[in-house]
């Protein structure tokens, strides 16, 4: 299996193992996350004549690392160790 990619996958694996969440850099940095079903819907609804285009797809909602920590803590029903 390829090496883990991205904060969500790494944090989910750490949470399953009851390990601390590793934060690299500034917790104020943000990303735009997209649910995989939204991407599938886009691909399925995309006009066939436009299949050879490059798209930058996102939700339009910026999420900070701090926001993600809050979400993980609410799902864990308590404080999570951050390193």
């Amino acid at each position: 299996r390829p090496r883990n990619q991205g904060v969500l996958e790494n944090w989910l694996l750490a949470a399953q193992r009851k390990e601390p969440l590793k934060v690299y850099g500034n917790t104020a940095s943000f990303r735009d996350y997209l649910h995989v079903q939204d991407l599938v819907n886009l691909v399925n609804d995309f006009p066939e004549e436009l299949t050879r285009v490059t798209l930058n797809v996102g939700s339009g909602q910026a999420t900070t690392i701090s926001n993600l920590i809050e979400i993980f803590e609410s799902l864990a029903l308590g404080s999570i160790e951050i390193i």
Side-chain angles (χ1 to χ4, degrees):
R1 178 169 182 213
R3 188 174 173 184
N4 301 337
Q5 297 290 317
V7 66
L8 293 177
E9 181 180 8
N10 288 325
W11 284 9
L12 286 170
L13 291 172
Q16 287 176 334
R17 298 178 187 139
K18 300 189 185 312
E19 297 173 352
L21 305 184
K22 294 179 182 176
V23 175
Y24 301 97
N26 187 335
T27 60
S29 64
F30 60 90
R31 296 288 182 269
D32 185 335
Y33 297 97
L34 180 70
H35 192 281
V36 68
Q37 188 60 54
D38 293 332
L39 179 61
V40 169
N41 292 342
L42 174 70
V43 170
N44 287 337
D45 294 342
F46 208 70
E48 191 171 323
E49 63 272 11
L50 297 177
T51 56
R52 294 186 179 257
V53 297
T54 301
L55 299 175
N56 186 357
V57 179
S59 68
Q61 180 177 351
T63 303
T64 66
I65 298 298
S66 292
N67 293 138
L68 289 178
I69 291 170
E70 291 172 10
I71 292 167
F72 270 74
E73 286 181 332
S74 70
L75 294 173
L77 301 175
S79 183
I80 294 176
E81 183 182 2
I82 308 294
I83 58 171

